[in-house]
Amino acid sequence: MSIPIKISGIGYYVPETVISNDDLAKIVDTSDEWIKTRTGIERRHLLSGNETAFDMGLAAAKKAIEKSGVKPEEIDYIIAAACLGTHIYPSTACELQAALGADKAVCFDITAACAGLIYGMGISKAFMDSGMAKNVLIVATEALSHCLDWSDRGTCVLFGDGAGAMVLSVAEDGQNDILSIGLRAQGDLGHYITMESPGKNCSLVEQNDEGQMYIKMNGREVYKYVVTKLPPHIEECVEKSGLKMDEIDYLVPHQANLRIIEALEKRLNFKHEGVISNIQEYANTSAASIPIALAESIEQGKMKLPCTAILTGFGAGMTAGTAVVRLREGIA
Ligand code: UT7
């Protein structure tokens, strides 16, 4: 049974420290011109000092909860999406539960990389449809600067740190905000983007090199995969939503590369003024990129509420997820 779900609150947080493309050119053989023309990125916000993925996630979660009007003790599930939480365990979701005082929430983390928010929305919907949850908090928090090889110019220029959060609630007024949702995975292409576990065999069994927990990516193949596979997946979700592409106000894509965003806009024939992008400022923040783009655009008045929007993400796995949503006034 499908029950009406309300997107009741959204929040985001980014660290204060800003690193420009010119700054990066001091540590790797790159240039502002290369990064800007190939990706659209101009700056990224990076963690400093003792601040962690958990801290960022907590700040974003507090904002989303405040906007939602839901009390922490009313949250049934906390789902956290993070490439690398502060700890492998306790999970980021459990850490958030304790800090928020969401005592009755069931908590777990998911690994769906940049599609993490949409995967979290799909899981939340299943819990709500089955009567297992009334309120779910999804937190995407990405400390990607801790996962990068800062001597690899092919990856280190592309990513940034940040967090976004969303509260979903059973809609008491009967209006459904999740018009359609589609999730995909293609594990046979998993080698396109990888981050190895540092775990190694016992030294009594064999000697090992130190593990290196860095993001490695075949950018060109990811690019080709996304621009060919994502548009039909988005079109399918739009069709399921009952809306026509030209009736949807905004396209909020995962912020991985401005050229990919422009290719999606063109391929979907989406109106240019409705395409949301902030990759210039934050680079690719993986699962956090969609909720950051959403919450920031609403806050800055770039997205006018109420509205309809396509949220679409793709990433390591390979995973992909798209949701066609209605966004009410006052959610961010
Ligand atoms: O959220 C995860 C999803 N990830 C993505 O969506 C990434 C998708 N892919 C991309 O965005 C692009 O493929 C990149 C931005 C990663 C790379 O752009 P590209 O146009 O595909 O460049 P390329 O990898 O084909 O490299 C072109 C050249 C190479 O030099 P040669 O072999 O032509 O001499 C690279 O070595 O650019 C060189 N290069 C750089 N040069 C300056 C690679 N990185 C850099 C750099 N600065 N940072």
Side-chain angles (χ1 to χ4, degrees), residues 47-283:
L47 285 167
S48 61
N50 296 324
E51 201 173 32
T52 64
F54 160 75
D55 297 313
M56 293 191 295
L58 182 60
K62 280 183 174 167
K63 285 191 203 165
I65 290 170
E66 190 196 320
K67 286 289 172 183
S68 74
V70 171
K71 295 189 188 76
E73 59 271 24
E74 293 170 335
I75 297 171
D76 301 299
Y77 284 82
I78 300 176
I79 303 172
C83 287
L84 185 63
T86 309
H87 302 99
I88 304 291
Y89 50 72
S91 67
T92 300
C94 280
E95 292 181 318
L96 290 166
Q97 182 214 32
L100 291 166
D103 296 343
K104 79 166 189 198
V106 174
C107 305
F108 59 93
D109 291 0
I110 54 171
T111 303
C114 312
L117 177 88
I118 316 293
Y119 265 60
M121 291 173 73
I123 296 165
S124 305
K125 177 168 164 45
F127 284 144
M128 289 177 168
D129 286 349
S130 68
M132 285 170 70
K134 280 197 167 161
N135 299 296
V136 182
L137 168 67
I138 309 165
V139 182
T141 181
E142 299 285 22
L144 294 168
S145 64
H146 295 183
C147 314
L148 291 168
D149 174 356
W150 287 100
S151 65
D152 173 14
R153 69 177 183 172
T155 52
C156 77
V157 305
L158 304 175
F159 297 97
D161 297 329
M166 181 182 275
V167 178
L168 296 177
S169 308
V170 170
E172 302 297 344
D173 62 5
Q175 186 196 295
N176 183 31
D177 294 346
I178 302 185
L179 305 180
S180 69
I181 192 156
L183 306 176
R184 293 270 182 286
Q186 202 171 344
D188 60 326
L189 301 180
H191 54 283
Y192 283 175
I193 313 175
T194 59
M195 185 164 68
E196 274 175 34
S197 153
K200 295 288 169 198
N201 290 344
C202 169
S203 61
L204 294 173
V205 177
E206 57 211 335
Q207 290 303 315
N208 289 298
D209 296 335
E210 281 293 300
Q212 289 192 330
M213 209 166 166
Y214 296 139
I215 295 172
K216 291 186 188 139
M217 181 168 71
N218 183 337
R220 204 175 282 184
E221 288 305 323
V222 175
Y223 192 103
K224 280 196 273 181
Y225 170 79
V226 175
V227 296
T228 54
K229 299 282 189 200
L230 203 59
H233 164 64
I234 297 172
E235 282 166 344
E236 203 178 291
C237 285
V238 169
E239 204 183 318
K240 264 200 308 188
S241 76
L243 296 177
K244 300 245 169 358
M245 194 67 79
D246 61 8
E247 291 172 331
I248 300 176
D249 300 310
Y250 299 101
L251 172 65
V252 188
H254 168 47
Q255 308 286 308
N257 185 320
L258 193 57
R259 288 190 294 148
I260 292 180
I261 295 171
E262 286 166 355
L264 286 180
E265 173 188 328
K266 202 166 155 207
R267 169 67 177 71
L268 298 171
N269 204 11
F270 205 91
K271 47 187 168 295
H272 178 69
E273 62 280 11
V275 179
I276 300 298
S277 174
N278 61 4
I279 190 169
Q280 303 81 346
E281 183 64 31
Y282 303 116

